Amino acid sequence: MYQVVPGGAGGTVTDIIPKQKHTRDSRPLVGAGVIGLVLVIAAVTAWCYYIASLRKAELLKTQLLDLNKDGYIIRNQGGSIVFRMDFRSGTLDLDSCSKEGEILRCERTTDRKLKFFIETVRPKDTVQCYRVRWEELVPDFPVEHAMTYKFAHWYGGAVSAVQHWPISISGQEAPKPFVTSDIYSNRNEFGGILESYWLSSNATAIKINNSVPFHLGWNDTEKTMYFQARYNDSPFKPNPGEAPCAELSYRVCVGSDVTSIHKYMVRRYFNKPYKVPAKVMFEHPIWSTWALHKRDITQEKLLSFAANIREHKFNCSHLGLDDGYTRHYGDFEFDPIKFPNASAMFQKLKSDGFQISLWVHPFVNYDSENFHTCVQRGLLVREPTGRLPALVQWWNGIGGILDFTNPEARDWFASQLRSLRSKYGVSSFKFEAGETNYLPWKFSTKNPIRDPSFFTRRYTEMAIHYNDRAEMRSGYQSQNISCFFRPIDRDSVWGYELGLKSLIPTVLTISILGYQFILPDMIGGNAYLNHTVGDRVLPDRELYIRWLELSAFMPSMQFSIPPWEYDNEVVEIARKYTAIRERIVAPRVLELAGEVVNTGDPIIRPLWWIATGDETAYKIDSQFLIGDDLMVAPVLEPGKQERDIYLPAGHWNSYKGERFDLKEPLHLTDYPVDLDEIAYFLWV
């Protein structure tokens, strides 16, 4: 048989092609062809999918950040991973993601809509920053990210009862409100000075936005810190009229070294003091009645205390009259029994050259004459409905707490301080408390506040008019108050829990958080009953001496237990170190204090400040720098008259006159330091 088939343009062409039947043997060839075709299609599909995956992978990269459905990582310029964040509140649907310039956006998780973006910002050649925001659209749904901290040593966050440098995380803690608290009474909470800022030794920093209802938790097994935003079961509140939709937003910045990235973050995100406190505060010690007399202070005891300071020929920046001078807490007048002639007492003290500061607080106890006035005028923080004042319990009783969001309450409190100043010539005030743990869990204020710690900020503002000599113990976004900030009371013990060893880590932490005018509490601690070495009435003598030596090299120093409570040798050691302070320390500290106004750089600095690539320097918690050229190494162990000292590379002169010219760091093992000595080294 023959078949005619169409030809070309020239007409019909007849091809003689035999038409054959398919035999049974040819059928496998057809099957193989079909399989081959399927394989080709699959290969093409796989190739297209691979190309699409490459494009998606490229889409989900921005600079040195790689985003995936479960989180993201950031690398440094050398390609090493320096930061990792995992998403714990949802898995991103990557098909909902898009890239517009330097912004990555995603619109869904695998089960709901959301608003998510990461924006790359390069503010400097040496700094790369990423703005991250995850906003829930469902009310009362928390946002939680988990930061891995195993890549580096971390610093910052908040002061704590057990303070280490760098941060030491132990155990597991579900996310809890990151708000100011009195850690003397609540030792597992965050401290009275805190900022949502952390810095790592691999030159990475993270700053949580102030608008976030921020909760912090951790897990030392997973080596993670949990950053959570939520309104449910929380003291944080959304703005009036807004749905409680949580938003977690923050910036991660990566630099070339830990010092330079911290300098950038401080200049960009922290308030700075607008002035330097009084020069005498840096030069001469403060003397306080508290640790010596507690609440059992009287006119006679105060005058005797002042007379002893003069008799032993010590200088005094000011004399602090602490708790116990009023009849009731909330009064602003002297107890006429304990202080029968307060006016004459102040005149005597002034004629003897003493400036006096008074202890004040935000509480008005129910037995104070001012309680009724404050209730009638609506000056106190109220319960959630706003109809009644909220009663709170604090360490000196039960009462109300002034509402510092209320301009009228602020004016009333300020008028009481002005009255004390004008009537008695009071020079300044020691502002006690201010932490949010003294607010009720649920409360209302005249002007609503989203973040409870904003109450702390409002309270610290009351010190502005007295900041030449004022003292605060709490702070949140308060660096520009420009007064001295004091960590919570120390116990008269050696260890890291509110003891001598906690001082350097605490001061370094406060410095990293932007507070540079630091008063490291009273020399020897507060001598609280059952919180002293051996349960003594006075702090241990050796502890007192070592504490004195360390305090002499801090921005300010404070006596309460006077050295003459011990013996003449202790008095002579105290005279020696107040003289060293005036001659060597104060001039340097004052120079650095002047620079703080412009830069925000720490006065008290960690060793890594000048040794940025030194792994050992990242972990040292018993030495510190004043500026870049004075390194201090106190003895912090009982019974020791020697210590190991780490000297960074450079040219150093010791206080003994030794010269060290070092091309690399040096460990000085068992370096002799007598009881009346503190080791310090000057950069040549």
Side-chain angles (χ1 to χ4, degrees):
M1 295 293 294
Y2 299 93
Q3 183 176 11
V4 177
V5 296
T12 300
V13 176
T14 302
D15 290 331
I16 304 173
I17 304 176
K19 187 173 182 181
Q20 301 177 2
K21 291 184 179 180
H22 292 292
T23 66
R24 183 171 297 181
D25 293 339
S26 68
R27 290 174 185 172
L29 296 176
V30 174
V34 172
I35 293 173
L37 179 61
V38 170
L39 291 174
V40 168
I41 293 171
V44 171
T45 302
W47 176 257
C48 293
Y49 183 79
Y50 173 68
I51 295 298
S53 298
L54 288 177
R55 289 174 179 169
K56 177 62 72 174
E58 187 63 29
L59 168 69
L60 299 180
K61 296 171 80 73
T62 175
Q63 299 295 332
L64 300 173
L65 181 146
D66 296 344
L67 175 68
N68 62 63
K69 62 185 177 63
D70 297 314
Y72 62 90
I73 60 171
I74 300 174
R75 304 177 189 273
N76 60 18
Q77 294 291 344
S80 299
I81 296 175
V82 294
F83 188 84
R84 174 179 170 177
M85 189 74 86
D86 295 322
F87 305 143
R88 292 174 57 90
S89 48
T91 301
L92 289 179
D93 178 357
L94 297 184
D95 289 332
S96 75
C97 300
S98 60
K99 186 175 182 181
E100 304 169 15
E102 297 296 334
I103 301 178
L104 289 173
R105 297 185 186 276
C106 301
E107 298 178 352
R108 291 187 57 82
T109 67
T110 54
D111 62 357
R112 65 188 183 279
K113 291 183 177 180
L114 83 161
K115 293 180 181 179
F116 173 83
F117 76 78
I118 298 178
E119 180 183 9
T120 303
V121 181
R122 194 175 183 87
K124 296 175 64 178
D125 290 341
T126 57
V127 176
Q128 186 84 44
C129 292
Y130 303 91
R131 293 179 57 219
V132 182
R133 177 172 173 172
W134 180 304
E135 181 181 354
E136 287 291 343
L137 304 179
V138 179
D140 292 324
F141 201 101
V143 183
E144 186 173 315
H145 293 181
M147 183 189 79
T148 300
Y149 62 78
K150 66 182 178 181
F151 297 117
H153 306 290
W154 285 86
Y155 315 91
V159 295
S160 59
V162 181
Q163 195 83 53
H164 292 284
W165 180 271
I167 295 170
S168 176
I169 293 177
S170 61
Q172 292 82 42
E173 182 73 46
K176 59 185 179 180
F178 191 69
V179 294
T180 59
S181 183
D182 174 354
I183 51 173
Y184 197 87
S185 302
N186 305 276
R187 299 205 174 189
N188 293 322
E189 299 302 319
F190 305 113
I193 299 174
L194 91 174
E195 303 291 335
S196 52
Y197 167 74
W198 288 267
L199 172 73
S200 83
S201 59
N202 62 12
T204 306
I206 181 169
K207 175 68 176 72
I208 310 296
N209 288 352
N210 295 333
S211 60
V212 172
F214 184 53
H215 298 67
L216 179 66
W218 54 85
N219 186 316
D220 69 344
T221 302
E222 298 176 355
K223 305 299 181 188
T224 53
M225 294 170 64
Y226 304 139
F227 295 164
Q228 187 188 78
R230 76 169 192 260
Y231 291 111
N232 188 34
D233 188 28
S234 169
F236 289 89
K237 305 172 186 176
N239 286 325
E242 290 185 0
C245 293
E247 168 206 316
L248 181 60
S249 54
Y250 52 88
R251 289 180 185 245
V252 180
C253 293
V254 181
S256 57
D257 63 74
V258 60
T259 301
S260 63
I261 192 62
H262 177 67
K263 287 184 175 184
Y264 168 77
M265 298 297 285
V266 167
R267 285 157 176 73
R268 178 68 179 82
Y269 297 113
F270 285 0
N271 294 322
K272 296 171 190 62
Y274 69 92
K275 60 172 285 190
V276 177
K279 180 182 177 183
V280 69
M281 290 283 289
F282 299 92
E283 294 175 328
H284 299 156
I286 301 166
W287 295 78
S288 168
T289 62
W290 174 248
L292 181 63
H293 293 296
K294 304 296 190 295
R295 298 179 185 87
D296 189 26
I297 186 65
T298 64
Q299 179 172 320
E300 181 182 359
K301 289 178 179 178
L302 179 61
L303 291 172
S304 175
F305 189 46
N308 278 325
I309 295 171
R310 294 188 69 205
E311 179 183 339
H312 290 90
K313 297 180 171 56
F314 282 97
N315 290 320
C316 175
S317 63
H318 68 257
L319 178 57
L321 175 53
D322 213 286
D323 188 358
Y325 64 89
T326 62
R327 289 183 61 197
H328 305 289
Y329 294 103
D331 295 352
F332 288 88
E333 189 50 83
F334 284 84
D335 182 337
I337 296 175
K338 297 173 73 175
F339 295 86
N341 195 338
S343 295
M345 177 188 75
F346 273 91
Q347 290 173 4
K348 169 62 175 171
L349 292 169
K350 184 177 180 180
S351 67
D352 288 341
F354 287 99
Q355 299 275 354
I356 307 299
S357 72
L358 292 180
W359 180 84
V360 293
H361 54 83
F363 305 102
V364 183
N365 279 10
Y366 68 88
D367 56 356
S368 167
E369 293 181 0
N370 287 321
F371 183 76
H372 179 73
T373 299
C374 292
V375 171
Q376 289 295 105
R377 294 176 59 180
L379 306 184
L380 303 175
V381 171
R382 294 177 170 261
E383 44 77 45
T385 68
R387 293 193 297 268
L388 296 172
L391 290 180
V392 298
Q393 185 168 8
W394 61 299
W395 67 92
N396 277 332
I398 297 174
I401 185 168
L402 288 166
D403 178 4
F404 291 101
T405 75
N406 183 348
E408 190 176 350
R410 293 161 66 88
D411 290 345
W412 181 83
F413 186 72
S415 71
Q416 305 303 315
L417 304 188
R418 287 195 301 270
S419 176
L420 288 168
R421 170 174 271 189
S422 63
K423 186 173 182 178
Y424 299 110
V426 173
S427 64
S428 191
F429 299 93
K430 172 183 177 178
F431 292 84
E432 193 68 278
E435 300 92 350
T436 64
N437 68 290
Y438 291 111
L439 295 169
W441 178 252
K442 298 292 184 180
F443 63 92
S444 63
T445 51
K446 179 74 173 181
N447 291 306
I449 53 177
R450 298 180 59 181
D451 181 347
S453 292
F454 193 68
F455 178 87
T456 299
R457 163 68 198 191
R458 282 290 187 229
Y459 178 54
T460 62
E461 290 170 357
M462 303 309 298
I464 290 176
H465 295 298
Y466 307 96
N467 56 17
D468 266 1
R469 299 170 186 267
E471 172 189 333
M472 297 288 320
R473 83 169 199 191
S474 58
Y476 175 68
Q477 301 176 34
S478 305
Q479 298 91 340
N480 60 347
I481 301 302
S482 306
C483 69
F484 273 88
F485 285 84
R486 171 182 66 86
I488 197 71
D489 300 15
R490 304 288 109 172
D491 287 328
S492 299
V493 296
W494 289 91
Y496 285 103
E497 183 173 347
L498 299 179
L500 178 60
K501 285 186 180 179
S502 74
L503 274 186
I504 295 174
T506 299
V507 170
L508 289 173
T509 298
I510 294 172
S511 294
I512 288 297
L513 299 180
Y515 298 85
Q516 310 310 340
F517 308 137
I518 302 170
L519 175 61
D521 204 35
M522 299 168 190
I523 292 168
N526 286 264
Y528 291 133
L529 186 64
N530 300 324
H531 291 278
T532 60
V533 175
D535 292 335
R536 296 176 175 88
V537 175
L538 290 178
D540 174 73
R541 181 179 185 273
E542 181 188 8
L543 174 72
Y544 183 89
I545 292 170
R546 293 305 191 190
W547 207 306
L548 163 61
E549 293 163 352
L550 172 55
S551 294
F553 286 81
M554 289 291 171
S556 188
M557 65 186 299
Q558 183 176 31
F559 286 103
S560 184
I561 302 292
W564 52 85
E565 288 290 317
Y566 294 93
D567 51 52
N568 288 334
E569 182 185 10
V570 177
V571 172
E572 289 305 315
I573 293 173
R575 289 193 182 119
K576 171 184 175 180
Y577 280 96
T578 54
I580 287 175
R581 173 177 188 81
E582 195 167 348
R583 185 178 75 254
I584 297 175
V585 179
R588 279 178 170 77
V589 170
L590 279 165
E591 181 182 357
L592 294 163
E595 297 173 4
V596 166
V597 175
N598 296 316
T599 67
D601 289 346
I603 294 172
I604 304 299
R605 302 173 181 177
L607 258 61
W608 53 249
W609 193 266
I610 61 170
T612 56
D614 189 332
E615 175 65 22
T616 301
Y618 294 143
K619 297 179 286 185
I620 290 179
D621 67 352
S622 63
Q623 299 174 222
F624 61 93
L625 295 163
I626 301 176
D628 289 344
D629 63 353
L630 177 54
M631 198 265 293
V632 185
V635 173
L636 304 175
E637 297 280 353
K640 297 288 187 180
Q641 296 201 24
E642 67 282 325
R643 63 157 293 164
D644 295 344
I645 295 174
Y646 186 75
L647 280 178
H651 306 283
W652 299 94
N653 279 353
S654 79
Y655 70 107
K656 299 178 180 181
E658 303 153 309
R659 171 89 177 208
F660 298 90
D661 295 307
L662 307 176
K663 293 183 179 179
E664 57 185 29
L666 174 67
H667 282 276
L668 298 175
T669 305
D670 292 334
Y671 186 81
V673 186
D674 291 342
L675 181 60
D676 66 342
E677 293 181 331
I678 184 172
Y680 61 93
F681 300 78
L682 289 168
W683 180 276
V684 181

